[in-house]
Amino acid sequence: MNDILGDWKRSHYCGDISAAEIGQEVVLMGWVQRRRDHGGLIFIDLRDREGIAQLALDPDRDPDAHGKAELVRNEFVVAARGVVSPRPEGTVNPKMKTGEVEVEVRELRILNSAQTPPFMIDEFSEVAENIRLQHRYLDLRRAPLQRNLLLRHQVSKTVRRYLDDEGFIEVETPVLTKSTPEGARDYLVPSRVTPGNFFALPQSPQLFKQLLMVSGFDRYYQIVKCFRDEDLRADRQPEFTQIDCELSFVDRDQIISIMEKMVAEVFKATLGVELTLPMPRITYTESMARFGVDNPDLRFDLELVELSNVVKDSGFKVFAEVVKKGGIVKALNAKGCASFSRKEIDDLTEFAKIYGAKGLAYVKVQEDGSWQSPIAKFFTDKEIASIDQALQAEAGDLLLFVADSYRITNETLGRLRGHLGHKLGLAKKDVYRFAWITDFPLLEWDGEARRHVAVHHPFTAPVEEDMALLDGDPGSVRAQAYDLVLNGSEIGGGSIRIHDQAVQKKMFALLGIDAEEAEEKFGFLLNALEYGAPPHGGIAFGLDRLAMILTGSDSIRDVIAFPKTQKATCLLSGAPGQVDNKQLRELSIRSAVRSQ
Amino acid sequence: MNDILGDWKRSHYCGDISAAEIGQEVVLMGWVQRRRDHGGLIFIDLRDREGIAQLALDPDRDPDAHGKAELVRNEFVVAARGVVSPRPEGTVNPKMKTGEVEVEVRELRILNSAQTPPFMIDEFSEVAENIRLQHRYLDLRRAPLQRNLLLRHQVSKTVRRYLDDEGFIEVETPVLTKSTPEGARDYLVPSRVTPGNFFALPQSPQLFKQLLMVSGFDRYYQIVKCFRDEDLRADRQPEFTQIDCELSFVDRDQIISIMEKMVAEVFKATLGVELTLPMPRITYTESMARFGVDNPDLRFDLELVELSNVVKDSGFKVFAEVVKKGGIVKALNAKGCASFSRKEIDDLTEFAKIYGAKGLAYVKVQEDGSWQSPIAKFFTDKEIASIDQALQAEAGDLLLFVADSYRITNETLGRLRGHLGHKLGLAKKDVYRFAWITDFPLLEWDGEARRHVAVHHPFTAPVEEDMALLDGDPGSVRAQAYDLVLNGSEIGGGSIRIHDQAVQKKMFALLGIDAEEAEEKFGFLLNALEYGAPPHGGIAFGLDRLAMILTGSDSIRDVIAFPKTQKATCLLSGAPGQVDNKQLRELSIRSAVRSQ
């Protein structure tokens, strides 16, 4: 079935021929998107990475080529030599880049045949994802995935050129490294040479990039695979890609400034969107107050308002008692949503309960400004006026209230805010709203483990003016950490790191890591800090997440060439798979699962 | 001990100040390379990635800064604000980029202290490699490793820019993939979610990049980590980096042409060396004939000459009988080496025996042209004349002969040739001689396994005109494979791949892989070939090896930031290490080694 290429060389991509090539002889190679027989003539839409060109085969002019064209089916691979001609009047397709021309084929070669694919290679067919993943090589032929991976390449390329030009050095860090069971679960790799010992795949190159700063590389970057053996959510993969940076002799503001410029370059190069710099900054405390979360979607308002003071002495016991017990009462104004049905409000209440709220109080503001609400009767006119004013309530608005602990109230209303933004169509895909969230707490209390855990990681530096609080009130110490949030997603996060061995030791102690454990797990970092570590900090961006937002994809799997399912399997290759017992013996391990 | 950066911003790298900055105020940050006290003044050599600047501290002018300078020791991290001034006459250092100037320091901040390092941070101290690896963050401060990693970055950057501009798309392929026990030993990763199953780390992205061609990405590249759990030689690492490329609708010549241009760009960008293109091509058969190996070092001659015909009827039974039994006799002329001592010739003989030769015959050509040799007496004058002529022997030459099977004769003399090239100083580090080796055999006979094995890999396409031989005489089929050899090292290798399912199946059959096994291991590739696979081919370059040659390093560990030892351990982090039993239980594996 194969014709060989012989001395043929492709002259153009299919998508690149246009009126400028009329009269030229061209050689195109690609896939048959569609064959049409029309009054004895055969037309083939030939597809390659760059687009589609129309081949025209005339049985009178070139009977041999025409004869071969009769054999081809969809997805056959063919090469065609012919002359670019204007399409006959009335057949011009202005929607296509190549729609003004066709190629009068002089010679056709069939390079490979194709079975009928299990789904159409176009962008319109809806195909079950497991079928797409099984035949990923066909799914990847379809225009949306082609576009996604091309755009992803454009992101990497832009990032690399920017960082190269800013004096960053790409350094590769090890994939086979040591397990440090902080944070997520490690993927392990048994060592053959050192039986009973294991490598771990890196969750991030954190320690290595800090060591590169100790080594004086000054500015490091890497676009690098990282690994977490976690139960997968829709937007997680066992292996994911970070744009990983670290800089010496800089403070937070310098890092933010360099990095937001990089993000702006990416948006310009990929979408032609000019971002406004500097990007807004919001402290963690302010973000929690206004949005209930530390990754706010700024495409819409629906801000949270605290009403604890207004309602603490009200006749509505539920609210008053929450405040008395140290909780808070907050609300948001869903503008114009008074028309929500009973069912819609019930759905919002169910949504709220997911995050631990016991209920969701609501008020519909009627045409005359009065409240229609089960809780209206508990409030005085003055209290109602205060609440209306605080929420800027107007006729037709829907007010939603949660009263609970600081954490539950904020998380519930914060999530509800995001949910409403999408429900109301306020979260537009082609609008991009960034913010840097700063001044995170350094530590949070883990009630179960009864100890502090690091909000970012144990290497994050405290804010210098809070350093004195480390001993007496560590929970109130702020971190020199910053996240970049885009449309409600954290796309990057980083911090100034601890460069002082004494501070690092104190941090480990606060986290309940004793000196022996610190030495065993992080001894090489502690040693390094002893030999002249410069002040340094860095950041990591999630490339998959960023590509997902830039392409408007709903799943992270749509921006990864060969993704895993949510059960961490590859439907294409069948990984993970069985291995020979000999392989396990060589690695000095046994499977605890009876072999079949 | 720490002064904070405060509002200080570094204005220049240490290495970047020169006479052009005289009179300017600058802020420098870096490490104390050396402190000298000289008549009350203190001079500090301050080092950063870009070089060294001299700080001058005058107790009368700036007593506070001078006081701090008294505290600093080698490798302290300091920041200095001051004014660039010409050095006093007689103290200019023309060897240094910054040697005309110094910085009159107005203010000094000590950013971090440093213990005395276990070795000097300079390029001259010889330090045992295990000490260097344990304190890698200090070793990486030294100029040779700084230079090596900067150059390596330059290589990656140049390669990426070239390939981007040539229309290649960077696509990331999975690190967690399936074990296909062909070739080297896999690193395995137990799956937690699918107990009893294992991922493997990729030995190369071979199958995925071929699938990307089936998907129509047309030109793919990736600079990617690959993994082989092999016993390590001096120039191997468990994880190594490939420049990996694949192209569709091209033949061998097009791939070679694109790739040799890339290599030329790299040499220009990193060393300023202009390579001559096109690079020479040598067939495998010719390379074996002339050099005895398929990775010849072309910096010197010392070519092998076959003498089987000349000696087959000679009185020297050893030679005659080898030829009679189907073996060959070859020799090389070590020009001017007749003065080698008995000991030197014994050493060469021992060297030859490593490769299986039973001995090494030699002839010293004396001043009068006559032979001084234990074997001289076995040859007639005519035979001696013929041998002299074939080897272009002259007075003072040393002729070295091996008689054995084709394989042993070539390997022995080929290695001996390389050895002599180095011994005689002919293998100069700053001379770069490339060649493409082409037309490798497709298969070789594995006498132990009693079957054919692929010389490259099972996806390599046969030369089209040899296709008919696949059934009758597979051992004589040539492959459409090509290696790029530089100074005796293979730095890249690739091939045109099989794109026809029937040929691929036949290839598996020839390799003794039955249909069931082929389906289980490579089913997804065979399926993909059924749905319209384009003609395609590719290549992979070893980035570590290339960086090693470009930097003139003797060890691959000197071009890797955090390398493993030859026992596949990391002396810095202690990887591989022990893990918790809980981790193993979650992965459904047990260690076969009693825990301590």
Side-chain angles (χ1 to χ4, degrees):
Chain A
M1 179 53 90
N2 288 348
D3 292 293
I4 50 168
L5 286 181
D7 57 351
W8 281 22
K9 283 196 177 21
R10 177 170 59 189
S11 67
H12 295 75
Y13 280 115
C14 295
D16 286 348
I17 60 160
S18 65
E21 280 75 32
I22 286 172
Q24 281 186 31
E25 181 170 286
V26 297
V27 176
L28 305 182
M29 302 184 183
W31 287 262
V32 175
Q33 176 75 18
R34 200 158 69 109
R35 191 193 89 188
R36 280 160 299 147
D37 296 46
H38 187 75
L41 298 173
I42 293 179
F43 295 97
I44 290 173
D45 286 346
L46 192 69
R47 185 193 70 234
D48 66 18
R49 188 178 88 188
E50 302 297 328
I52 287 176
Q54 177 166 298
L55 308 181
L57 295 112
D58 185 330
D60 300 328
R61 194 183 54 216
D62 301 291
D64 184 59
H66 185 272
K68 284 191 175 171
E70 287 188 315
L71 301 174
V72 308
R73 300 286 173 267
N74 282 0
E75 300 309 317
F76 271 44
V77 186
V78 306
R81 189 176 59 74
V83 176
V84 180
S85 316
R87 292 198 190 180
E89 239 170 284
T91 66
V92 166
N93 182 347
K95 281 188 204 151
M96 285 174 65
K97 210 167 129 194
T98 64
E100 285 181 62
V101 295
E102 61 186 22
V103 176
E104 286 181 4
V105 176
R106 298 279 182 265
E107 196 178 346
L108 190 75
R109 294 183 181 177
I110 299 178
L111 303 177
N112 212 343
S113 62
Q115 298 288 319
T116 305
F119 48 82
M120 285 286 288
I121 310 299
D122 61 32
E123 53 189 297
F124 312 108
S125 312
E126 287 286 334
V127 185
E129 197 181 16
N130 63 338
I131 304 290
R132 289 173 47 200
L133 289 175
Q134 258 174 52
H135 300 272
R136 190 63 168 180
Y137 44 88
L138 297 179
D139 195 24
L140 286 171
R141 275 188 198 163
R142 310 202 314 160
L145 287 190
Q146 290 266 325
R147 272 198 304 265
N148 289 357
L149 291 189
L150 292 180
L151 182 139
R152 186 182 170 121
H153 167 61
Q154 194 72 26
V155 175
S156 302
K157 181 172 140 181
T158 306
V159 163
R160 286 206 174 90
R161 293 200 178 199
Y162 176 82
L163 292 175
D164 288 344
D165 293 346
E166 291 289 322
F168 286 75
I169 311 282
E170 185 185 3
V171 181
E172 296 177 53
T173 54
V175 177
L176 294 169
T177 177
K178 197 181 170 187
S179 180
T180 54
E182 273 291 307
R185 199 185 283 112
D186 282 321
Y187 278 103
L188 296 184
V189 183
S191 163
R192 178 178 57 84
V193 185
T194 317
N197 285 257
F198 292 81
F199 296 101
L201 304 182
Q203 297 186 23
S204 96
Q206 183 63 35
L207 293 179
F208 290 107
K209 69 177 175 169
Q210 291 191 236
L211 293 181
L212 289 171
M213 295 302 102
V214 176
S215 297
F217 282 95
D218 203 75
R219 294 185 165 198
Y220 143 94
Y221 85 94
Q222 196 181 185
I223 298 185
V224 60
K225 281 278 177 76
C226 301
F227 305 85
R228 284 182 200 168
D229 187 9
E230 290 298 297
D231 298 311
L232 304 172
R233 299 194 314 238
D235 57 349
R236 287 268 179 91
Q237 285 278 311
E239 55 184 288
F240 55 97
T241 305
Q242 276 187 194
I243 303 166
D244 196 48
C245 302
E246 197 79 6
L247 304 74
S248 294
F249 300 114
V250 290
D251 60 22
R252 183 191 72 178
D253 291 351
Q254 285 167 288
I255 295 178
I256 284 182
S257 163
I258 291 169
M259 291 300 151
E260 65 186 19
K261 278 185 202 135
M262 179 183 88
V263 172
E265 293 282 330
V266 167
F267 273 72
K268 202 163 108 185
T270 53
L271 302 181
V273 169
E274 295 274 357
L275 301 181
T276 308
L277 297 185
M279 293 174 180
R281 297 190 196 178
I282 303 174
T283 65
Y284 172 83
T285 308
E286 182 187 343
S287 181
M288 294 304 285
R290 291 171 54 194
F291 310 106
V293 293
D294 60 6
N295 56 349
D297 193 332
L298 301 175
R299 286 173 293 182
F300 47 88
D301 295 330
L302 301 176
E303 290 195 16
L304 277 49
V305 175
E306 178 156 2
L307 301 170
S308 305
N309 272 331
V310 182
V311 301
K312 72 174 192 293
D313 301 315
S314 73
F316 189 38
K317 290 280 179 305
V318 178
F319 284 7
E321 275 171 18
V322 160
V323 178
K324 216 163 288 167
K325 283 182 189 154
I328 59 172
V329 179
K330 291 177 90 167
L332 68 78
N333 180 351
K335 296 299 291 179
C337 294
S339 56
F340 272 21
S341 67
R342 179 75 225 170
K343 166 97 174 51
E344 281 176 298
I345 289 177
D346 285 349
D347 286 349
L348 295 182
T349 306
E350 286 312 305
F351 183 90
K353 286 179 177 169
I354 299 171
Y355 301 99
K358 285 176 252 348
L360 183 69
Y362 71 91
V363 166
K364 291 180 170 179
V365 184
Q366 294 178 292
E367 277 312 306
D368 63 358
S370 69
W371 282 18
Q372 182 205 322
S373 167
I375 64 167
K377 60 186 173 213
F378 299 114
F379 293 97
T380 64
D381 285 353
K382 204 181 145 210
E383 284 163 351
I384 287 176
S386 294
I387 292 170
D388 278 349
Q389 198 197 354
L391 291 166
Q392 298 181 286
E394 294 173 319
D397 289 353
L398 174 69
L399 315 180
L400 299 166
F401 302 77
V402 172
D404 214 304
S405 66
Y406 173 87
R407 194 182 64 72
I408 289 179
T409 303
N410 277 320
E411 185 168 8
T412 305
L413 271 179
R415 300 285 192 156
L416 196 67
R417 175 179 175 274
H419 179 72
L420 279 169
H422 283 88
K423 180 175 161 74
L424 301 175
L426 302 171
K428 297 201 192 318
K429 273 200 173 175
D430 58 349
V431 172
Y432 305 96
R433 290 283 176 271
F434 290 86
W436 291 98
I437 311 297
T438 64
D439 294 282
F440 284 84
L442 183 69
L443 302 165
E444 64 189 353
W445 183 252
D446 181 336
E448 207 173 312
R450 300 194 55 75
R451 63 176 181 94
H452 281 108
V453 293
V455 170
H456 276 76
H457 55 54
F459 318 107
T460 299
V463 166
E464 291 189 3
E465 60 193 88
D466 293 357
M467 201 72 90
L469 298 169
L470 271 181
D471 291 315
D473 183 13
S476 71
V477 174
R478 289 166 300 165
Q480 293 195 54
Y482 34 82
D483 280 0
L484 183 59
V485 170
L486 164 57
N487 292 357
S489 287
E490 181 210 320
I491 59 165
S495 62
I496 298 297
R497 326 299 185 184
I498 298 167
H499 69 279
D500 181 305
Q501 198 202 42
V503 177
Q504 186 65 67
K505 283 183 168 170
K506 179 171 284 186
M507 184 70 181
F508 285 144
L510 282 170
L511 296 171
I513 303 173
D514 66 26
E516 194 186 339
E517 189 184 354
E519 179 55 35
E520 195 205 313
K521 286 183 186 163
F522 305 112
F524 60 110
L525 176 71
L526 288 172
N527 286 342
L529 295 183
E530 210 163 40
Y531 288 109
H536 63 287
I539 194 165
F541 292 90
L543 177 58
D544 311 285
R545 188 84 63 90
L546 185 59
M548 198 177 146
I549 296 175
L550 286 165
T551 56
S553 300
D554 293 320
S555 161
I556 208 163
R557 293 184 292 280
D558 286 342
V559 296
I560 295 174
F562 302 103
K564 305 276 189 303
T565 65
Q566 283 176 259
K567 295 199 148 186
T569 63
C570 172
L571 296 181
L572 171 70
S573 67
Q578 300 278 331
V579 297
D580 296 344
N581 278 326
K582 175 167 173 286
Q583 287 176 279
L584 300 186
R585 271 198 309 277
E586 284 183 321
L587 298 174
S588 304
I589 59 168
R590 294 193 199 102
S591 172
V593 179
R594 199 180 302 271
S595 68
Q596 294 153 11
Chain B
M1 178 54 84
N2 287 346
D3 292 293
I4 50 170
L5 286 181
D7 57 350
W8 279 23
K9 286 196 176 19
R10 177 171 59 191
S11 67
H12 294 74
Y13 280 114
C14 294
D16 287 348
I17 60 161
S18 66
E21 280 75 32
I22 285 172
Q24 278 186 34
E25 181 171 285
V26 297
V27 176
L28 304 181
M29 302 184 185
W31 286 262
V32 175
Q33 177 75 20
R34 200 158 68 110
R35 194 193 86 186
R36 281 161 298 146
D37 297 43
H38 187 73
L41 298 174
I42 295 178
F43 295 96
I44 291 173
D45 284 348
L46 192 67
R47 183 193 72 233
D48 65 19
R49 189 179 87 188
E50 301 298 327
I52 287 175
Q54 176 168 300
L55 309 181
L57 295 112
D58 184 330
D60 299 327
R61 194 182 56 215
D62 301 291
D64 185 61
H66 185 272
K68 284 190 174 173
E70 288 188 314
L71 301 174
V72 308
R73 300 285 174 271
N74 281 1
E75 301 308 317
F76 271 42
V77 186
V78 305
R81 190 176 59 73
V83 175
V84 179
S85 316
R87 292 198 192 182
E89 240 171 282
T91 66
V92 167
N93 182 346
K95 282 188 203 150
M96 284 173 68
K97 212 167 127 194
T98 63
E100 285 181 62
V101 295
E102 62 186 18
V103 177
E104 287 181 2
V105 177
R106 298 280 181 265
E107 197 179 346
L108 191 74
R109 293 183 180 176
I110 299 177
L111 303 176
N112 213 344
S113 62
Q115 298 288 319
T116 304
F119 48 81
M120 283 288 287
I121 310 300
D122 62 32
E123 54 189 297
F124 311 108
S125 312
E126 286 287 334
V127 186
E129 196 181 16
N130 63 338
I131 303 291
R132 288 174 47 201
L133 291 174
Q134 260 175 48
H135 299 272
R136 189 63 167 178
Y137 43 89
L138 296 179
D139 194 25
L140 286 171
R141 275 188 199 162
R142 310 199 318 158
L145 288 190
Q146 289 265 326
R147 274 197 304 264
N148 289 358
L149 292 188
L150 291 179
L151 182 139
R152 185 181 171 124
H153 167 60
Q154 194 71 24
V155 175
S156 300
K157 181 173 141 181
T158 307
V159 163
R160 286 206 174 93
R161 292 199 179 197
Y162 176 82
L163 293 174
D164 288 344
D165 293 347
E166 290 289 320
F168 286 76
I169 310 281
E170 184 185 5
V171 181
E172 296 175 52
T173 54
V175 176
L176 294 169
T177 179
K178 199 180 168 186
S179 180
T180 54
E182 273 291 306
R185 199 184 287 112
D186 283 319
Y187 278 104
L188 297 183
V189 183
S191 163
R192 179 178 56 85
V193 185
T194 317
N197 285 258
F198 292 81
F199 296 101
L201 304 183
Q203 296 185 25
S204 95
Q206 184 61 34
L207 293 179
F208 289 107
K209 70 176 177 171
Q210 290 192 237
L211 293 181
L212 290 172
M213 296 302 102
V214 176
S215 298
F217 282 95
D218 203 75
R219 293 184 166 198
Y220 143 94
Y221 85 94
Q222 198 182 183
I223 299 185
V224 62
K225 279 278 174 75
C226 299
F227 305 86
R228 282 183 202 166
D229 187 9
E230 289 299 298
D231 297 310
L232 305 173
R233 297 194 315 238
D235 58 349
R236 287 270 179 90
Q237 284 279 309
E239 53 184 290
F240 54 97
T241 304
Q242 276 189 196
I243 302 166
D244 195 49
C245 302
E246 196 79 7
L247 304 74
S248 293
F249 300 116
V250 290
D251 60 21
R252 183 192 71 176
D253 290 350
Q254 286 167 286
I255 295 177
I256 284 181
S257 162
I258 291 170
M259 291 301 151
E260 64 187 19
K261 279 184 201 135
M262 181 183 87
V263 172
E265 292 282 330
V266 167
F267 273 73
K268 204 162 106 183
T270 53
L271 301 182
V273 169
E274 297 272 357
L275 302 181
T276 308
L277 298 185
M279 293 173 179
R281 297 190 197 177
I282 302 173
T283 65
Y284 171 84
T285 309
E286 183 187 343
S287 181
M288 293 304 285
R290 292 171 54 195
F291 311 105
V293 293
D294 59 7
N295 57 349
D297 193 331
L298 301 175
R299 286 173 293 183
F300 47 87
D301 296 330
L302 300 176
E303 289 196 18
L304 278 51
V305 175
E306 179 155 0
L307 301 170
S308 307
N309 272 331
V310 182
V311 301
K312 69 176 196 291
D313 301 316
S314 74
F316 189 39
K317 288 280 179 305
V318 179
F319 284 6
E321 274 172 20
V322 159
V323 178
K324 219 165 283 166
K325 285 183 186 151
I328 58 175
V329 179
K330 290 177 90 168
L332 65 77
N333 180 349
K335 296 298 292 180
C337 296
S339 55
F340 272 21
S341 66
R342 179 76 225 170
K343 165 97 175 52
E344 282 176 299
I345 289 179
D346 284 350
D347 287 348
L348 295 181
T349 307
E350 287 311 305
F351 183 90
K353 286 180 177 170
I354 298 173
Y355 302 100
K358 286 176 254 346
L360 182 69
Y362 71 91
V363 167
K364 291 181 170 179
V365 185
Q366 294 177 290
E367 278 311 306
D368 63 359
S370 69
W371 283 17
Q372 181 205 324
S373 167
I375 65 170
K377 57 188 176 214
F378 300 115
F379 294 98
T380 65
D381 287 352
K382 205 180 146 211
E383 285 162 348
I384 287 176
S386 296
I387 292 170
D388 279 347
Q389 197 194 357
L391 291 165
Q392 299 181 280
E394 295 173 318
D397 289 351
L398 173 70
L399 314 180
L400 300 166
F401 302 75
V402 174
D404 213 305
S405 66
Y406 174 86
R407 195 182 65 71
I408 289 178
T409 303
N410 277 319
E411 186 169 7
T412 305
L413 271 179
R415 301 284 190 155
L416 196 66
R417 175 180 175 274
H419 179 72
L420 279 170
H422 284 87
K423 183 177 160 68
L424 300 175
L426 302 171
K428 298 203 192 314
K429 271 200 174 175
D430 58 349
V431 171
Y432 305 97
R433 288 284 176 271
F434 291 86
W436 291 98
I437 311 298
T438 65
D439 294 281
F440 283 84
L442 183 68
L443 302 164
E444 64 188 354
W445 184 251
D446 180 337
E448 206 173 312
R450 299 194 56 76
R451 61 178 181 93
H452 282 107
V453 293
V455 170
H456 276 74
H457 55 55
F459 318 107
T460 300
V463 167
E464 289 189 7
E465 62 193 87
D466 293 357
M467 202 73 89
L469 298 170
L470 270 181
D471 291 315
D473 185 12
S476 72
V477 174
R478 290 167 299 166
Q480 293 194 54
Y482 34 82
D483 281 359
L484 183 59
V485 170
L486 164 58
N487 290 359
S489 285
E490 180 212 321
I491 59 164
S495 62
I496 299 296
R497 326 299 185 184
I498 297 168
H499 69 279
D500 181 305
Q501 198 202 41
V503 177
Q504 186 65 66
K505 282 182 169 170
K506 178 171 285 184
M507 184 70 182
F508 286 143
L510 282 170
L511 297 172
I513 302 174
D514 66 26
E516 193 185 341
E517 189 185 353
E519 178 57 33
E520 195 205 312
K521 285 183 189 162
F522 305 111
F524 61 109
L525 176 72
L526 289 172
N527 287 340
L529 295 182
E530 209 165 40
Y531 288 110
H536 63 286
I539 194 165
F541 292 90
L543 176 58
D544 310 286
R545 188 83 62 93
L546 185 58
M548 200 176 141
I549 296 175
L550 285 165
T551 57
S553 300
D554 294 320
S555 162
I556 208 163
R557 293 185 293 279
D558 286 341
V559 296
I560 296 174
F562 302 103
K564 304 275 191 300
T565 64
Q566 280 175 262
K567 294 201 149 185
T569 63
C570 171
L571 295 182
L572 172 69
S573 68
Q578 300 278 330
V579 297
D580 295 343
N581 278 326
K582 176 167 173 284
Q583 287 175 281
L584 299 185
R585 272 199 307 276
E586 285 184 319
L587 298 174
S588 304
I589 59 168
R590 293 193 202 102
S591 173
V593 178
R594 197 182 304 269
S595 66
Q596 295 155 7

